[in-house]
Amino acid sequence: MDKPEIAIDFAPELHLFVSSRRRDGWSELRTDGTSTLGHVVESLGVPLTEVGAFETGEGAPLAASHVPVDGERIAVRPVVRPQALPGPPRFLLDVHLGTLARRLRLLGVDAAYENTDIGDPALSARSAAEQRVMLSRDRGLLHRRELWAGAYVYSHRPAEQLRDVLSRFAPPLAPWTRCTSCNGVLREADKAEVREQLRDGTEKSYDVYAQCGDCGQVYWRGAHHAQLSGIVDAAVAEFGGAPVTR
């Protein structure tokens, strides 16, 4: 018996993941007759984290568990932004996204980060255990079934990565409230209680401080404050949120 042949169409947003012959509208594909639609699409290179919906050629919805039959026309749609999540927008970033993690934390977004390569199984297990969206440019990692949720980071430039994540998930912004080193929550601190951690001259130059409640890192408006404020102001202007002055 011949294996089923279907026609499949990938939205332009998903062309990055598929071969060139799949980027020009409908293309023919012979399946094995037993694999689900989700497995078929993943086998063509598209992580299911990037799929918003499956539809018939007439626009009727299909489930990822659907087994395609001969003659079907199936359209693969991208995620609709902002993407709804089954819980609060909390993130986990892999070892290659350290700058993005720090920028998300700068904006008060809960962003856990692994600064060593702990491996895909450990990352996916942490995503599931802590109910965090796994952010990665590793397509193989995003194929793992254990993930609570995941998203491919499309750019290698930190500024574009930040806009990508903020536009996709619309997390609430609370700038200057998280530690960029460990993701802990900051609190106001008196100069006297942090004096021992201050650099030469800092004590005389600054009066307003914040300290991480987890790692103890101390923050003040140093030489890089203007650059960081630029990142914060741009994000708040585009995606909302009220800056907190520190």
Side-chain angles (χ1 to χ4, degrees):
M1 181 176 177
D2 290 339
K3 294 181 179 179
E5 184 175 77
I6 66 173
I8 194 164
D9 176 49
F10 290 96
E13 294 88 343
L14 302 175
H15 287 178
L16 168 69
F17 303 104
V18 297
S19 64
S20 57
R21 63 184 294 260
R22 306 281 180 203
R23 299 173 185 171
D24 191 23
W26 295 94
S27 62
E28 310 270 308
L29 174 67
R30 196 168 291 280
T31 70
D32 61 13
T34 60
S35 294
T36 65
L37 181 53
H39 278 102
V40 169
V41 168
E42 282 191 315
S43 72
L44 296 176
V46 183
L48 292 186
T49 60
E50 307 312 296
V51 175
F54 299 105
E55 297 176 352
T56 66
E58 295 74 36
L62 290 170
S65 59
H66 171 72
V67 177
V69 298
D70 190 63
E72 274 194 301
R73 291 168 63 84
I74 297 171
V76 187
R77 305 302 186 196
V79 169
V80 176
R81 299 184 179 218
Q83 180 181 349
L85 292 171
R90 294 153 33 92
F91 301 97
L92 172 62
L93 292 81
D94 68 19
V95 67
H96 304 292
L97 297 176
T99 299
L100 175 59
R102 289 187 290 273
R103 293 191 180 194
L104 287 170
R105 293 169 178 176
L106 180 65
L107 294 168
V109 178
D110 188 344
Y113 166 65
E114 291 291 346
N115 59 8
T116 57
D117 189 356
I118 63 173
D120 290 0
L123 283 169
S124 56
R126 183 175 180 186
S127 166
E130 299 180 13
Q131 296 189 336
R132 292 182 179 274
V133 181
M134 184 75 242
L135 299 180
S136 180
R137 287 179 52 78
D138 180 348
R139 303 178 194 186
L141 172 57
L142 296 176
H143 281 292
R144 297 192 68 89
R145 293 285 183 267
E146 309 96 304
L147 292 175
W148 180 73
Y152 183 74
V153 177
Y154 284 80
S155 176
H156 63 276
R157 297 182 176 90
E160 294 174 1
Q161 292 174 346
L162 183 63
R163 292 188 71 253
D164 181 19
V165 173
L166 296 182
S167 67
R168 178 162 176 173
F169 296 102
L173 305 186
W176 316 108
T177 61
R178 282 193 179 273
C179 176
T180 56
S181 294
C182 81
N183 198 42
V185 176
L186 301 183
R187 63 173 183 82
E188 293 185 2
D190 293 330
K191 183 187 294 188
E193 63 181 311
V194 299
R195 182 173 286 115
E196 292 183 358
Q197 298 185 51
L198 302 181
R199 302 171 185 172
D200 294 340
T202 300
E203 180 182 353
K204 297 179 180 178
S205 302
Y206 304 98
D207 294 315
V208 179
Y209 298 90
Q211 187 173 32
C212 176
D214 290 346
C215 73
Q217 174 77 34
V218 177
Y219 293 86
W220 60 90
R221 295 185 184 181
H224 300 294
H225 186 75
Q227 178 185 357
L228 298 178
S229 291
I231 295 172
V232 168
D233 292 345
V236 168
E238 185 171 3
F239 300 102
V244 178
T245 303
R246 286 205 183 276

